[in-house]
Amino acid sequence: MSPRRREPVRGQAPALLHPVDFAPARRYYLLAMFLQLAASPIILAAAIIFLLGISGNLFTPLLGPIVGLSITSYVERRYRADAWAHIARKAQDRTRSDPAPWAQLALTLQLVLLLLAVLGLVQAVRATGQSGAAALGAGILAGLVLVEVASLIWDRRAQAELRSVAVGGSWRILQGLGVLAVALPGAGVLLGFGPLNPWLLLLGVLAQGGTCVLWYVLRMIPATSSCVPKSFPLP
């Protein structure tokens, strides 16, 4: 279905549209925006670190969030493509960012969740002496720092829909600084819990970094690619 648009005045360029401007596309786009914020590097790190703090197992807390949030990232790509499919390609306003207040609130909540997860893991390691959890958690946080620095560089040139975070400008820089302010001290505290297994530390870095790279690759898959399903029904 194509949106009803008024005929442009002669000599003027037709107005460009965004999915939030068109009711049938808005639901798909808002759901995609929510899924993108849910399947973010910050949430991945927070989920793994939280599970490490409450579980005596090292690998289940790692695999569960990676698989679950990777599927979420894939579904987000499809819903976003469905939203843009309601608008003719020449009329699409691809330069507009997501609604700022919602994105800013979500990013703030992500930082709070990350901080609480790190504090919880630190307390758990102090109480139980789980050096393996400390090593893996420190690796996850180190990987998050690398991902965040790379994302800040990427987002300066990427189109709005390909950015790692839905907002740009000064807020994006503040969000990045917030991640570094939590992740760097958290990794330092965890590294201070005696000699740690370097292989677990490396595993954490690779798990966080590799999963985020996979998500960015999924986001760049064209909507017409055969590996992306034609449509997902709205819940």
Side-chain angles (χ1 to χ4, degrees):
M1 179 184 296
S2 298
R4 294 182 179 178
R5 300 186 295 272
R6 291 181 297 179
E7 292 296 328
V9 179
R10 180 174 296 180
Q12 294 182 352
L16 297 179
L17 293 176
H18 191 274
V20 297
D21 302 325
F22 186 48
R26 188 180 302 126
R27 294 178 60 199
Y28 286 96
Y29 192 85
L30 293 179
L31 183 55
M33 184 178 67
F34 171 78
L35 292 175
Q36 181 182 356
L37 293 170
S40 72
I42 302 175
I43 294 298
L44 175 65
I48 294 174
I49 290 173
F50 171 76
L51 293 175
L52 283 173
I54 63 174
S55 172
N57 188 295
L58 295 180
F59 298 104
T60 301
L62 193 65
L63 293 177
I66 288 177
V67 174
L69 293 180
S70 295
I71 294 174
T72 301
S73 179
Y74 181 78
V75 175
E76 177 270 331
R77 174 68 184 94
R78 183 60 264 171
Y79 276 131
R80 192 173 294 271
D82 287 345
W84 284 109
H86 286 79
I87 303 173
R89 182 170 301 179
K90 292 183 179 180
Q92 294 177 357
D93 184 3
R94 295 266 182 175
T95 62
R96 195 189 311 182
S97 299
D98 289 347
W102 294 99
Q104 292 170 1
L105 176 61
L107 293 176
T108 302
L109 291 176
Q110 288 178 6
L111 289 177
V112 172
L113 292 175
L114 178 64
L115 177 60
L116 293 176
V118 171
L119 292 176
L121 179 59
V122 170
Q123 292 297 325
V125 173
R126 283 177 178 170
T128 62
Q130 301 178 36
S131 61
L136 193 55
I140 292 294
L141 291 174
L144 178 61
V145 170
L146 295 176
V147 168
E148 191 63 28
V149 172
S151 298
L152 285 169
I153 299 173
W154 168 267
D155 289 347
R156 293 186 62 182
R157 298 185 178 182
Q159 297 179 358
E161 64 173 308
L162 295 179
R163 292 174 187 159
S164 61
V165 176
V167 294
S170 59
W171 183 265
R172 175 67 183 95
I173 297 176
L174 289 174
Q175 187 261 348
L177 293 176
V179 172
L180 298 181
V182 174
L184 286 175
V189 171
L190 292 173
L191 288 172
F193 285 105
L196 303 179
N197 188 330
W199 294 107
L200 287 176
L201 185 64
L202 179 61
L203 176 61
V205 174
L206 294 178
Q208 178 74 25
T211 303
C212 294
V213 169
L214 172 63
W215 292 354
Y216 294 151
V217 170
L218 288 176
R219 193 173 300 164
M220 297 178 71
I221 295 176
T224 56
S225 176
S226 59
C227 63
V228 178
K230 292 184 178 180
S231 180
F232 278 159
L234 282 172

